[in-house]
Amino acid sequence: MTTIVFVGAGSVVFTQGLLADLFGLELGALEIRLHDIDPERLETAAAAATYIARELGVTPRISTHLERRAALDGADFVINIVQVGMNSATHVDFEIPARYGLRQTIGDTLGVGGVFRALRTFPVLRGLAHDINEVCPDAWLLNYTNPMVMNVWYLKALGVRNVVGLCHSVYWTMQGLSELVGVPYDDVTYLAAGVNHQSWVLRFERGRENLYDRLDEAIAADPELLRRVRVDMYRRLGFYPTETSEHSSEYVPWYLGHTSEVERLRLPVGAYLDIVAENLASYEHTRNALKSGDPVEVEPTMEYAPQVIHSIVTGTPRTIYANVPNTGLIPNLQSRAIVEVPSLVDALGIRPTAVGELPAQCAALNRAYLNVAELTVQAALTEDPRAIRQAVMVDPATAGTLTVEQIWDLCNDLVLAHHNYLDPSLRAALK
């Protein structure tokens, strides 16, 4: 029997999609253990899991656990989807920086929002790493929680043997590009690499045809495409970035700090707050439907975690995009940093592909991104509150908007606001 643990199962909508994918695969006997610290959300997750299993005609063993260690004992796979602080903390991450004139769109990967989301999450990850190392050291930890690079980097530093970060951004980018150039996705071959939410499409082809030529034609034919950050970056850098324009705008200093660019590129400042509200509404709808016996939508998501589990359990080979330590995979990015590269998955586990050096301009942006991640991880590992401020100081978008003094004041305000979530050593206000 394969045992799969969901940590943060109260993220019910995401849990539902992953379960629909899992239950649609031939995996043999399954045990699903759901863990969350919120009893109501955990109960809803269990009801959803039972409903989906019944709809798809499978009979897994399903259990709920408020205590994490018991859920992890002897697990084969652990899927991490925790969100520390939930909606209220996310609002803080947007509202306080906005008082300083700092614009954010998503705020979950880099910038001050990404830094403090990581710092809130690290104490939970430390407990998770300790438990995994003791009760299921051979388990694969499949991380979805953002900020991906910071979280996986921290988990590796804590000695988790088998941890990988999974994100669908490369896959969905290539789906969108294929549609844009009028070529079926199944006919396309591609190579991407970089860091999570800022990888680069290095090759985009059908047979011997370079599909970047078709992309150039599509952009020339539709001026509205020029009002996308990703298209703007592609035109100037020569390679297409693998995350949405909302995400991509936050990792560089060129856009959000300029009102004219926000308007030209139609950037939805604070967009993630709308997503938070939608997620809460979806959760409440699912909870109420399950309680009243109404049907619940069961749709597969094409997420990587179920595919990884299937490949390792059955030996079926697949290639996915994985976030893993840089052990020479991309030589012109920082060693041991977390990079995103194509990876083979089969019965032997996950084996990343050495991509080689990135184009210099792409590597330059990735290195700036990784500087922020490294300092944030170091703040937690060395218990140094100054490193928090230094991480935000070197963040491209923040440094392009605020003075150093404003950055320190902003960090002091966020440390105070998130006080209960942070490690005690990082709670100090600094002058």
Side-chain angles (χ1 to χ4, degrees), residues 229-307:
V229 164
R230 286 207 283 187
V231 172
D232 194 72
M233 292 178 68
Y234 162 60
R235 289 178 58 241
R236 300 174 194 281
L237 297 169
F239 296 90
Y240 201 81
T242 63
E243 235 331 322
T244 64
S245 291
E246 291 84 358
H247 275 283
S248 295
S249 69
E250 293 191 307
Y251 314 144
V252 294
W254 311 318
Y255 301 118
L256 285 168
H258 307 281
T259 300
S260 60
E261 291 296 87
V262 170
E263 293 172 353
R264 177 176 76 91
L265 297 166
R266 300 170 294 187
L267 285 169
V269 175
Y272 193 66
L273 297 179
D274 294 332
I275 297 171
V276 167
E278 291 169 7
N279 288 342
L280 180 58
S282 295
Y283 164 71
E284 292 175 346
H285 173 78
T286 298
R287 179 197 59 198
N288 295 338
L290 290 166
K291 283 185 175 180
S292 62
D294 293 335
V296 174
E297 189 172 338
V298 180
E299 291 290 340
T301 63
M302 299 298 293
E303 286 290 348
Y304 280 145
Q307 298 177 52

Side-chain angles (χ1 to χ4, degrees), residues 63 120 122 130 146 165 185 210 215 232 271 313 316 380 386 402 422:
S63 60
R120 293 197 308 272
F122 286 169
H130 179 267
N146 285 319
Y185 173 78
N210 180 2
L215 178 60
D232 194 72
V313 170
T316 305
R386 291 176 64 88
L402 303 182
L422 304 183

Side-chain angles (χ1 to χ4, degrees), residues 129 176 205 332 376:
E205 300 163 355
N332 56 344
T376 305

Side-chain angles (χ1 to χ4, degrees), residues 99-145:
R99 296 176 199 162
Y100 285 80
L102 185 62
R103 298 181 177 116
Q104 299 177 96
T105 50
I106 307 297
D108 71 350
T109 299
L110 214 63
V112 71
V115 168
F116 276 87
R117 180 178 280 242
L119 294 171
R120 293 197 308 272
T121 307
F122 286 169
V124 174
L125 295 185
R126 187 168 61 249
L128 176 61
H130 179 267
D131 288 346
I132 287 175
N133 289 340
E134 289 204 346
V135 303
C136 57
D138 295 326
W140 277 95
L141 173 54
L142 311 178
N143 180 73
Y144 275 105
T145 297

